[in-house]
Amino acid sequence: MTFMELLLSAKLGSTSAFEELFARYKNLLRKYSVVNGIFDEDLYQEQCVLFAHCIEIFYVNR
């Protein structure tokens, strides 16, 4: 599936599409959860919640 197909499916409630999107961006979220060389689990969780929220509110103009 393309990114756009995954995004639209995830917005419509497809768990598998959301999991695929999350798998694609998990490493990036982990990378930006390191503060002063230490992984911050709370920051990672907050970013995961924000990632899910962004998928829900992202406007797609076809």
Side-chain angles (χ1 to χ4, degrees), residues 26-48:
K26 178 176 58 176
N27 290 333
L28 187 65
L29 294 171
R30 290 182 69 76
K31 175 184 175 182
Y32 286 106
S33 298
V34 175
V35 178
N36 296 326
I38 300 170
F39 180 73
D40 187 334
E41 182 69 34
D42 291 334
L43 179 57
Y44 177 69
Q45 289 179 352
E46 286 295 321
Q47 289 187 58
C48 290

Side-chain angles (χ1 to χ4, degrees), residues 1 6 8 11-12 15 17-18 22 24-25 27 36 38-39 42-43 45 47-48 50-52 55 59:
M1 287 182 112
L6 282 173
L8 291 173
K11 286 179 67 65
L12 294 173
T15 304
F18 176 81
F22 183 75
R24 289 185 183 191
Y25 289 95
N27 290 333
N36 296 326
I38 300 170
F39 180 73
D42 291 334
L43 179 57
Q45 289 179 352
Q47 289 187 58
C48 290
L50 185 59
F51 179 79
I55 289 174
Y59 175 72

Side-chain angles (χ1 to χ4, degrees), residues 9-23:
S9 293
K11 286 179 67 65
L12 294 173
S14 171
T15 304
S16 61
F18 176 81
E19 289 173 354
E20 176 66 29
L21 280 174
F22 183 75

